[in-house]
Amino acid sequence: TDGDGSLTAPPTSEPSSAPSFVPSPMPLGTIKTILEDTSFDNGWDGWVEGGRNARRRSNDKKGCKTGIWCIRLRDNTPTSTMTKTFYGANKYYGLEVNFAFYVKKMGNGDGFLLEVANGSGWEVAGNWRVGTNISDKQFSNGFVTILSNQLNSGQLMFKPKILLRFRCDGKDNKRLVYIDDIKILGLFN
């Protein structure tokens, strides 16, 4: 199951032939540069754990898409997060975020989010929910395109600092999401 998302619509498990939103077209001559490509085999790779409900341990390897290291988030508290800050974001008009995930022991309505902040509060960039667009105990890939003109009231480029945050939104400590193989591309022309 693939999750697609944007700032204006939640992700769907299958590409839709008639999306509920019309994303801004990418300008001709778009260049993509790799900002992040991690499988967490060498540590947190600059991601910051939110606290006791976020961890990186080799005994979580059953939830990892590749290798034996990934990040496990659980529950729904301020510590159920992992966050990364990117500086120099004002060079880009968009970000593409690709990642692998596995949810475990989540029921209908449980899930996780990808949130973004670029000079103001957190905005939801992608929202994955069991019973809506993902299934429990199934490896999946997530994909989100974040465009500055949707996030910042028509601004063509991001502000200099942008933060991305994965946040678990489960009912209790038994609701788990494993995040792995994150690849983030900056879009410019």
Side-chain angles (χ1 to χ4, degrees), residues 142-173:
F143 176 78
V144 175
T145 299
I146 303 166
L147 300 175
S148 178
N149 64 5
Q150 292 175 338
L151 183 63
N152 293 317
S153 301
Q155 286 186 3
L156 295 179
M157 307 300 265
F158 289 116
K159 295 174 184 174
K161 181 173 90 171
I162 193 165
L163 291 87
L164 296 177
R165 175 173 74 182
F166 285 95
R167 179 168 61 89
C168 187
D169 191 17
K171 292 181 181 84
D172 56 42
N173 280 346

Side-chain angles (χ1 to χ4, degrees), residues 60-135:
D60 288 328
K61 66 184 174 186
K62 290 182 181 178
C64 302
K65 181 78 176 210
T66 59
I68 61 169
W69 298 97
C70 57
I71 305 300
R72 188 202 75 184
L73 305 174
R74 69 179 186 182
D75 204 0
N76 179 15
T77 72
T79 66
S80 303
T81 64
M82 57 187 270
T83 305
K84 177 106 181 214
T85 303
F86 294 92
Y87 296 96
N90 53 331
K91 299 179 219 171
Y92 307 104
Y93 70 82
L95 297 176
E96 287 183 357
V97 182
N98 296 279
F99 60 97
F101 66 90
Y102 182 82
V103 294
K104 183 176 175 184
K105 298 182 182 176
M106 287 201 178
N108 283 343
D110 289 328
F112 69 100
L113 303 106
L114 174 62
E115 298 171 312
V116 59
N118 187 224
S120 58
W122 292 103
E123 301 278 343
V124 174
N127 188 351
W128 292 265
R129 298 279 161 199
V130 171
T132 302
N133 54 8
I134 61 172
S135 299

